[in-house]
Amino acid sequence: MRGIIAIAVAGAGLAGCSSLSLDSFKPAPPLVKVALESVPPGADATTSLGPACKTPCSIDVPAPDAGFSVTFASPKFQPVTVPVQVIRNPGDFASPPTTIIEPSPVFAELRPTAPPPKARKPMRPKKPKSKAAAAPNPASAQSAAR
């Protein structure tokens, strides 16, 4: 009986080790503070990485390997998407690695949406003039006489 319990415990322990991967030892990407501004202020700023806020604001995002984008939106304004570059400096023995965001701050100027076109009233057909209807056309009178 003890042998069966020992084998079960050893099997469970080995099963736990098999789920361990080297990815779990990699450090999490560093967080980078991104300042977001817009004209007019109060726009919803949403990053392609997920975090969002109302401008002016700052958010912390995990620094991706490639760039990302920020979309600014506000009612009655056209949305604007701004691309953001991530620049990594590896550092050396004297300085730590750094991550820079360009542009900083991320800025967008929102333009108002065009007003909807005004509804035009349908045009009425012109009424015939009463004098033209009353006076016969001399050319048609001559052709009728022939």
Side-chain angles (χ1 to χ4, degrees):
M1 185 71 168
R2 283 185 165 173
I4 295 174
I5 294 174
I7 292 174
V9 170
L14 288 175
C17 289
S18 68
S19 65
L20 185 64
S21 69
L22 295 177
D23 289 339
S24 62
F25 292 114
K26 288 183 181 178
L31 292 178
V32 178
K33 187 170 284 299
V34 180
L36 305 170
E37 297 178 6
S38 70
V39 171
D44 293 320
T46 306
T47 67
S48 58
L49 303 173
C53 62
K54 285 199 179 286
T55 61
C57 59
S58 293
I59 55 175
D60 291 326
V61 296
D65 293 331
F68 60 97
S69 62
V70 179
T71 301
F72 296 85
S74 186
K76 299 183 182 178
F77 288 90
Q78 296 175 354
V80 175
T81 300
V82 178
V84 179
Q85 295 178 349
V86 178
I87 303 167
R88 294 178 185 262
N89 296 324
D92 55 16
F93 291 114
S95 63
T98 58
T99 303
I100 300 171
I101 300 294
E102 279 294 323
S104 182
V106 180
F107 176 79
E109 185 172 347
L110 302 172
R111 296 176 189 229
T113 54
K118 293 183 179 181
R120 293 186 178 180
K121 293 181 181 178
M123 296 196 58
R124 296 181 195 165
K126 292 184 179 181
K127 294 181 180 178
K129 295 182 180 179
S130 59
K131 290 182 181 179
N137 188 353
S140 62
Q142 288 178 357
S143 63
R146 290 184 186 176

